[in-house]
Amino acid sequence: MTAAAGALLIKMVIAAFSGMGAATVCHPLDVVRVQMQTEGSTYSGFADACKGIYQKDGIKDGLYAGISAAYLRQWLYGSCRIGIYAYLLENAQNANIEAGLDKNAISLPSKMLMGLTSGGIGSFVGTPSELALVRMGNDKKLPLDQRRNYKGVGDAISTIAKDEGFPALFTGAPATVLRACLLSACAMGITSEIKMRLSGSGFFGEDGKLYGGVPLLFVATIISSFAANTVANPFDVVKSRMQNMAIAKDGSSQYNSMLDCFLQTVGNEGVLKLWSGFVPAFLKLAPYTVISLILTDKITKIVTGKEAL
């Protein structure tokens, strides 16, 4: 039992550091995504949003606003999403070996269920950091009198808990968890499945080991990221809007629930609004997934001698 807990902890720590590396590179795309998805966005597209945010607030206060929340998110959400998935996958492979089966004889639905489980756990634990990330990333877009001006992720979380109550830290949790379950099921499960299938194709060297297996993992994560983003983007829009909305002192807010937010968005702005920010979301998710999974796989190989995925 202790050995199992230790193995899980190691995988989660590796995943957290890998996620931080990916977040450092990809965070500006997250800021652009949030500002395109929330109310009041006047950007005509991805390029216009990047240009507008940079010209208005620069790199540090604009494109990298909320980076401290992004790092905390990796320790809460990223560590669970990738670490728990890698742990569950390894256990399933070991069970197959003990049963005399091919260790990779694991169905795609089973892998997606593992990803759904790890993503759901991680997203719920990480909701406060996700809330801080959305608010800090969107703050500069608000009128001066509506800005929250958080000094950092610690200040954001403590201020929200103090002014709005502790439960407010989990605003948008249902949408956050649903999004993460779908995204993680696709990103993790499909990545593992494609990696397994393409490793024997010959296009990526013997057993997919060409250039250390990086090209194979790159292709697998790009495909899985597109599928994951397509499925999860509507929940991403709802999540961003619910987490960015102001809550009055009497407890009233613009949206009463995830469903109410969904219906208002579609009713007022059309169904395609649910896929707003798709380009920056994909451009962020794809390299983020590529970088974090490659780092996780390589660090895990160095530390444990085994592949993570």
Side-chain angles (χ1 to χ4, degrees), residues 47-272:
D48 183 48
C50 291
K51 179 181 177 182
I53 294 170
Y54 174 73
Q55 289 181 338
K56 182 181 177 183
D57 299 303
I59 295 177
K60 179 177 178 292
D61 295 327
L63 293 172
Y64 274 89
I67 185 64
S68 59
Y71 287 151
L72 176 61
R73 182 174 179 266
Q74 296 312 313
W75 281 94
L76 298 178
Y77 167 58
S79 64
C80 293
R81 182 172 77 97
I82 299 177
I84 293 177
Y85 177 82
Y87 176 78
L88 293 174
L89 182 64
E90 183 180 50
N91 280 354
Q93 290 174 333
N94 289 337
N96 280 348
I97 293 173
E98 291 176 3
L101 303 173
D102 179 357
K103 77 169 188 176
N104 291 319
I106 304 169
S107 67
L108 176 58
S110 294
K111 293 173 184 174
M112 295 182 73
L113 181 59
M114 294 176 197
L116 184 148
T117 301
S118 64
I121 294 171
S123 64
F124 183 76
V125 172
T127 294
S129 63
E130 183 80 28
L131 175 65
L133 176 63
V134 168
R135 291 194 178 186
M136 292 173 72
N138 190 64
D139 206 43
K140 293 293 184 180
K141 195 183 80 174
L142 300 174
L144 289 173
D145 61 334
Q146 295 180 24
R147 291 182 184 178
R148 298 170 171 111
N149 297 314
Y150 299 128
K151 298 180 180 65
V153 63
D155 179 51
I157 291 176
S158 61
T159 300
I160 293 169
K162 178 182 176 182
D163 294 347
E164 302 173 34
F166 182 79
L169 290 173
F170 291 87
T171 299
T176 301
V177 172
L178 279 172
R179 168 192 175 271
C181 285
L182 294 171
L183 188 147
S184 188
C186 292
M188 304 304 297
I190 294 177
T191 294
S192 292
E193 183 73 10
I194 293 177
K195 181 185 174 187
M196 181 195 71
R197 291 183 178 278
L198 291 183
S199 63
S201 67
F203 291 112
F204 300 94
E206 186 178 354
D207 294 327
K209 302 299 184 183
L210 180 68
Y211 297 118
V214 172
L216 172 60
L217 192 54
F218 177 83
V219 171
T221 50
I222 289 294
I223 296 172
S224 67
S225 294
F226 184 83
N229 202 55
T230 301
V231 172
N233 206 82
F235 294 95
D236 207 14
V237 172
V238 172
K239 175 189 72 68
S240 294
R241 292 192 168 204
M242 291 193 69
Q243 292 181 329
N244 185 61
M245 69 180 178
I247 299 177
K249 292 184 178 181
D250 63 0
S252 62
S253 58
Q254 181 177 357
Y255 305 117
N256 298 321
S257 65
M258 180 180 74
L259 179 60
D260 181 45
C261 180
F262 176 85
L263 294 175
Q264 283 196 46
T265 301
V266 173
N268 296 333
E269 302 171 65
V271 69
L272 290 181

